[in-house]
């Protein structure tokens, strides 16, 4: 910290010095926010282990009232599920109508995925995280080697994502007459009701998968159809705290079913239909 302060104070051009100070303040503020999250989580864990607020106060050297304040200050522990800084959401892009992948065309994002980003943005905002989105081009090339990254893109739209998914020995996307999801362990196949009888329902995949560089993970969301991803986001909106307690930031995968309003595409219900398969010991 002292080195950073000294470096900035020695910048000769005033405007450059001010800009550097602003950037460093933002970095420090981000760290303060994350530290407050860690503190809150630690206090919650101490209480869950059986310690009273009075005992925690004694250990921390603060008043009991202060412990109560700290236990509710800062973002919730489950914020770590998404990251510690600006979250980038990569949305699968399709070629413009009438054009094939590889042609000179811009990518189109379906309405359901834009809705997903808006729901995630609001969820993240409530945990003091900002979000931005990018569109994966029609060739499916996406940089997975980043922190604070969420990918919403079916494997048929991205060969890179499809390759990573092959490493999940528990769950998989498969295709015969239609795309579907398979729980290999249970020998169970999940087909979209949309394809079977036209019912307004679908299934989605949720997992934390390894980056290609082996230096971290990214969150992955995809549905059999686009609306299946909305079901996963709906599940996260309503079950994030519980999910985080189960898996923290470890690698895992699971399947989510959803039911939605066919006119508005609003998800009405979502639930987990498979175990939380942990990819790490």
């Amino acid at each position: 910290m002292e080195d950073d302060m000294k470096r900035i104070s020695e910048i000769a051009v005033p405007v450059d010095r001010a800009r550097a100070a602003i950037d460093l303040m933002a970095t420090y503020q981000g760290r303060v926010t994350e530290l407050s999250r860690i503190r809150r989580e630690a206090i919650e864990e101490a209480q869950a282990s059986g310690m009273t607020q009075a005992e925690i106060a004694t250990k921390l050297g603060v008043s009991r009232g202060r412990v109560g304040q700290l236990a509710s200050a800062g973002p919730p522990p489950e914020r770590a599920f998404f990251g510690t800084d600006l979250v980038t959401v990569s949305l699968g892009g399709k070629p413009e109508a009438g054009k094939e992948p590889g042609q000179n065309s811009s990518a189109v994002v379906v309405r359901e995925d834009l809705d997903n980003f808006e729901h995630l943005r609001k969820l993240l905002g409530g945990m003091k995280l900002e979000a931005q989105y990018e569109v994966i081009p029609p060739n499916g090339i996406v940089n997975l080697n980043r922190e604070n990254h969420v990918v919403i893109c079916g494997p048929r739209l991205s060969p890179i994502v499809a390759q990573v998914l092959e490493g999940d020995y528990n769950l998989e996307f498969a295709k015969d007459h239609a795309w579907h999801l398979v729980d290999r362990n249970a020998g169970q196949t999940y087909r979209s009701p949309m394809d079977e009888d036209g019912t307004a329902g679908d299934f989605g995949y949720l997992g934390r998968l390894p980056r290609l560089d082996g230096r971290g993970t990214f969150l992955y969301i995809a549905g059999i159809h686009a609306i299946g991803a909305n079901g996963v986001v709906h599940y996260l909106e309503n079950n994030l705290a519980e999910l985080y307690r189960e898996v923290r930031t470890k690698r895992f995968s699971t399947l989510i079913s959803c039911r939605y309003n066919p006119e508005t595409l609003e998800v009405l219900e979502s639930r987990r239909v498979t175990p939380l398969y942990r990819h790490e010991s």
Side-chain angles (χ1 to χ4, degrees):
M1 181 182 296
E2 291 183 1
D3 288 343
D4 288 335
M5 299 283 283
K6 185 175 185 297
R7 173 179 57 81
I8 290 175
S9 67
E10 292 176 348
I11 295 176
V13 181
V15 173
D16 291 344
R17 193 187 320 137
R19 183 184 299 110
I22 291 171
D23 291 343
L24 186 59
M25 289 171 67
T27 298
Y28 285 166
Q29 183 56 52
R31 292 175 180 175
V32 168
T33 301
E34 176 59 14
L35 286 170
S36 67
R37 184 204 68 81
I38 293 171
R39 180 185 61 195
R40 177 174 173 176
E41 182 175 37
I43 292 174
E44 289 184 6
E45 288 180 0
Q47 291 178 314
S49 71
M51 291 184 70
T52 66
Q53 284 195 353
E55 290 172 330
I56 296 172
T58 299
K59 293 287 187 180
L60 296 181
V62 299
S63 68
R64 180 176 176 179
R66 180 57 176 157
V67 170
Q69 292 175 341
L70 296 178
S72 60
E78 57 268 24
R79 176 183 192 262
F81 188 81
F82 287 97
T84 61
D85 205 341
L86 176 66
V87 175
T88 299
V89 182
S90 297
L91 304 176
K94 297 181 179 180
E96 291 179 288
K99 294 187 178 181
E100 296 295 326
Q103 287 185 298
N104 185 20
S105 64
S106 59
V108 176
V109 178
V110 298
R111 168 188 168 186
E112 292 90 333
D113 282 345
L114 290 176
D115 286 344
N116 279 328
F117 172 73
E118 284 304 314
H119 280 272
L120 283 176
R121 185 181 62 81
K122 292 177 182 177
L123 176 62
L124 293 168
M127 298 184 290
K128 299 184 180 180
L129 279 173
E130 295 184 357
Q132 64 182 6
Y133 81 86
E134 65 180 19
V135 180
I136 300 173
N139 61 16
I141 302 301
V142 55
N143 176 17
L144 300 177
N145 300 328
R146 290 179 278 176
E147 300 291 333
N148 314 308
H149 191 199
V150 180
V151 176
I152 304 179
C153 177
R156 69 185 181 87
L157 294 181
S158 174
I160 294 178
V161 168
Q163 182 179 5
V164 175
L165 278 170
E166 291 178 0
D168 185 345
Y169 300 114
N170 303 294
L171 305 170
E172 69 172 342
F173 280 88
K175 184 180 182 182
D176 42 31
H177 64 276
W179 282 95
H180 55 279
L181 283 157
V182 178
D183 182 338
R184 297 179 182 179
N185 287 334
Q188 178 72 40
T189 297
Y190 295 91
R191 295 186 180 275
S192 174
M194 297 170 62
D195 298 325
E196 298 297 293
D197 58 15
T199 303
D202 201 17
F203 292 95
Y205 178 107
L206 168 65
R208 184 180 299 279
L209 303 177
R211 289 170 19 179
L212 295 178
D213 63 3
R215 299 173 59 185
T217 60
F218 66 95
L219 281 175
Y220 179 65
I221 296 171
I224 296 176
H225 297 283
I227 195 68
N230 295 66
V232 174
V233 172
H234 181 273
Y235 178 82
L236 289 173
E237 288 177 305
N238 293 279
N239 300 275
L240 182 58
E242 178 185 357
L243 178 62
Y244 177 72
R245 285 194 295 269
E246 290 286 337
V247 298
R248 301 290 173 137
T249 57
K250 300 291 186 179
R251 288 168 50 193
F252 76 96
S253 60
T254 192
L255 299 184
I256 307 296
S257 72
C258 73
R259 184 172 58 85
Y260 64 95
N261 183 319
E263 295 183 359
T264 65
L265 299 182
E266 177 189 2
V267 175
L268 305 173
E269 179 185 66
S270 61
R271 63 185 180 90
R272 186 161 54 84
V273 294
T274 68
L276 289 168
Y277 288 117
R278 292 166 173 80
H279 300 186
E280 305 175 31
S281 57

